[in-house]
Amino acid sequence: LFLSTFTLAVSAGAVLLLPFSIISNEILLSFPQNYYIQWLNGSLIHGLWNLASLFSNLCLFVLMPFAFFFLESEGFAGLKKGIRARILETLVMLILLALLILGIVWVASALIDNDAASMESLYDLWEFYLPYLYSCISLMGCLLLLLCTPVGLSRMFTVMGQLLVKPTILEDLDEQMYIITLEEEAIQRRLNGLSSTVEYQTAELEWELEKVKCKKTNLERRKKASAWERNLVYPAVMILLLIETSISVFLVALNILYLLVDETAMPKGSGGPGIGNASLSTFGFVGAALEIILIFYLMVSSVVGFYSLRFFENFTPRKDDTTMTKIIGNCVSILVLSSALPVMSRTLGITRFDLLGDFGRFNWLGNFYIVLSYNLLFAIMTTLCLVRKFTSAVREELLKALGLDKLHLSNNPRDSETKPSANGHQKTL
């Protein structure tokens, strides 16, 4: 648990490092000769980036595998059972895993690029092997962000819609409250009438009762909400999300044009002016603040999209029902996403801040075709997800407004599920 907590803290540090660097650059520009901020300089920020990269490597390749193997270990046969025996077995497993990975890379390097320089580079473990391996992990994290972020950008509207109270347009909350109360009473009567021996029907009715109570709680919350909360907060938040998403897509499209006409737009190879020498944004401090907001928005959207994918849907942690193995897996996933976020932000052109430390040593950042393809895929996937999201939402609202939602004309699989009627029986189309 301690190692997982430390890994989560490193993930938070990796996420906050890029906004901190952008703010530091603008502060140094605004107060270049101020005595009280002389401690804030390029050497400090460069060192923080190196430390973030170092601890990310440490958590990803040492601490989290150690935590996983320690949970699975029991100690070697013949040794006295206890913590020491489990730690010994875990260390042996880590050494064998490191030798296995090193051997695979050695064989792959010999098959693909069998020359003296390539083989000698494998001996330099610290300067070549670990940065190269972390570069591969970063590329995987960026590909995962490419898959999660567009889904999360469209999913954010649904998540905020669940957290906020929607406006009551063409809806009668009193009538819905009356119907849901009748459903609850009917299911409760059926549940009281069943004997305890019929376990399957009892469990099914209890599950239906919990769903009805949840719907009733949501309706009561909507009914108690003020008119300001219903009619002002919800539209304002939705418009704000739409603006942030549109700005993100616009910046990516602009970055694609920069990549086609200017070589310095590449994430690697564009030596920046340094910390405190020039503003990172055309609009100065306001532009830098907008970049920071977009970076946090992309991180939240990527996490939401990660847990919205079907492959990772059962990976979502739940209160009082999450195993330690699942906690370790979640920490590793968040660490990979947070470590790849600065790289993705620079690759997409969200910020012009040149990556410092080991974050800027990735080989694939200098490949024009990979960077251009990444930008094109992100813009296309985000646009398609948003178009599908808004067209489906408009279609559902039109069907509901016309009273045709009961005919199940929508392709939404949730609409085809059976719904309990007011008398407690199941009715389907």
Side-chain angles (χ1 to χ4, degrees):
L1 186 63
F2 172 76
L3 295 179
S4 301
T5 306
F6 180 75
T7 303
L8 204 59
V10 172
S11 305
V15 171
L16 296 174
L17 187 57
L18 185 57
F20 174 75
S21 303
I22 296 173
I23 291 176
S24 301
N25 183 72
E26 298 300 325
I27 290 176
L28 289 175
L29 279 175
S30 302
F31 309 98
Q33 303 297 331
N34 196 320
Y35 173 78
Y36 296 101
I37 59 171
Q38 293 301 314
W39 58 272
L40 190 61
N41 50 35
S43 177
L44 172 65
I45 297 176
H46 194 279
L48 289 176
W49 281 79
N50 282 330
L51 285 176
S53 177
L54 173 64
F55 283 119
S56 298
N57 278 301
L58 182 66
C59 294
L60 198 58
F61 300 123
V62 179
L63 298 184
M64 286 293 96
F66 180 86
F68 176 76
F69 288 129
F70 182 77
L71 283 178
E72 303 296 329
S73 65
E74 297 179 356
F76 292 113
L79 295 178
K80 183 179 180 181
K81 300 298 181 182
I83 296 295
R84 292 184 177 180
R86 295 179 63 185
I87 291 178
L88 179 62
E89 181 184 353
T90 304
L91 293 176
V92 171
M93 289 294 297
L94 282 178
I95 294 173
L96 293 177
L97 180 63
L99 291 176
L100 176 64
I101 296 177
L102 183 62
I104 291 174
V105 174
W106 201 307
V107 172
S109 178
L111 292 176
I112 297 174
D113 192 11
N114 189 12
D115 57 354
S118 177
M119 298 305 295
E120 287 179 0
S121 64
L122 288 177
Y123 292 103
D124 198 351
L125 185 67
W126 184 260
E127 291 295 330
F128 177 80
Y129 182 69
L130 282 180
Y132 180 75
L133 186 59
Y134 192 57
S135 176
C136 296
I137 297 296
S138 175
L139 179 59
M140 293 175 57
C142 287
L143 293 177
L144 185 61
L145 282 175
L146 180 63
L147 184 64
C148 298
T149 309
V151 177
L153 289 174
S154 61
R155 179 68 177 167
M156 283 292 291
F157 294 91
T158 305
V159 173
M160 296 306 297
Q162 295 173 352
L163 296 177
L164 300 175
V165 178
K166 298 180 180 180
T168 55
I169 302 175
L170 300 177
E171 286 184 300
D172 190 353
L173 293 180
D174 293 331
E175 181 181 357
Q176 294 183 18
M177 196 71 186
Y178 177 71
I179 293 174
I180 207 74
T181 304
L182 290 179
E183 291 181 1
E184 182 183 7
E185 293 176 354
I187 295 174
Q188 190 65 50
R189 285 197 300 269
R190 291 182 61 192
L191 193 60
N192 295 335
L194 288 177
S195 60
S196 60
T197 56
V198 190
E199 296 182 359
Y200 174 74
Q201 294 184 4
T202 304
E204 185 178 359
L205 287 176
E206 288 178 351
W207 179 73
E208 292 180 6
L209 185 62
E210 289 296 325
K211 287 180 62 178
V212 170
K213 287 182 178 180
C214 183
K215 291 180 180 179
K216 185 178 180 181
T217 304
N218 292 333
L219 285 175
E220 290 177 349
R221 180 170 174 266
R222 292 183 62 186
K223 192 174 180 181
K224 293 178 181 179
S226 62
W228 287 97
E229 185 179 358
R230 287 197 305 265
N231 302 321
L232 183 62
V233 176
Y234 181 82
V237 171
M238 291 296 139
I239 292 174
L240 184 62
L241 291 179
L242 183 60
I243 291 174
E244 291 180 349
T245 307
S246 303
I247 293 175
S248 302
V249 177
F250 175 74
L251 290 177
V252 173
L254 202 61
N255 188 56
I256 294 174
L257 295 178
Y258 284 147
L259 288 172
L260 294 175
V261 299
D262 190 2
E263 293 182 356
T264 59
M266 289 291 294
K268 187 176 182 180
S270 57
I275 301 295
N277 294 327
S279 179
L280 301 174
S281 176
T282 309
F283 302 101
F285 190 81
V286 177
L290 179 61
E291 289 179 1
I292 293 172
I293 293 173
L294 290 178
I295 289 170
F296 281 119
Y297 180 57
L298 289 178
M299 184 59 198
V300 174
S301 300
S302 64
V303 174
V304 172
F306 176 78
Y307 290 114
S308 299
L309 295 176
R310 291 185 178 180
F311 186 76
F312 301 106
E313 190 174 357
N314 295 327
F315 211 53
T316 307
R318 293 176 175 84
K319 184 180 179 181
D320 299 330
D321 190 23
T322 306
T323 61
M324 199 64 220
T325 306
K326 188 178 289 187
I327 290 176
I328 293 174
N330 279 275
C331 291
V332 171
S333 302
I334 293 177
L335 178 63
V336 172
L337 292 176
S338 60
S339 299
L341 179 67
V343 185
M344 186 192 74
S345 302
R346 181 66 182 93
T347 306
L348 294 178
I350 302 297
T351 178
R352 295 293 174 185
F353 184 82
D354 291 312
L355 303 176
L356 300 173
D358 292 334
F359 283 92
R361 297 168 58 183
F362 301 146
N363 298 324
W364 59 271
L365 288 177
N367 193 314
F368 172 77
Y369 297 102
I370 292 180
V371 174
L372 182 63
S373 301
Y374 192 89
N375 282 264
L376 287 172
L377 285 174
F378 183 87
I380 293 172
M381 291 176 63
T382 304
T383 305
L384 290 178
C385 288
L386 289 177
V387 168
R388 183 179 179 275
K389 172 68 180 178
F390 282 105
T391 53
S392 63
V394 171
R395 184 174 63 251
E396 295 295 331
E397 292 299 327
L398 286 176
L399 291 176
K400 187 180 295 185
L402 296 175
L404 300 177
D405 55 326
K406 298 179 181 180
L407 296 180
H408 300 276
L409 299 177
S410 171
N411 293 326
N412 193 346
R414 295 179 182 177
D415 294 340
S416 61
E417 297 177 355
T418 58
K419 298 180 179 180
S421 61
N423 56 5
H425 298 284
Q426 298 289 339
K427 62 177 182 179
T428 58
L429 181 63

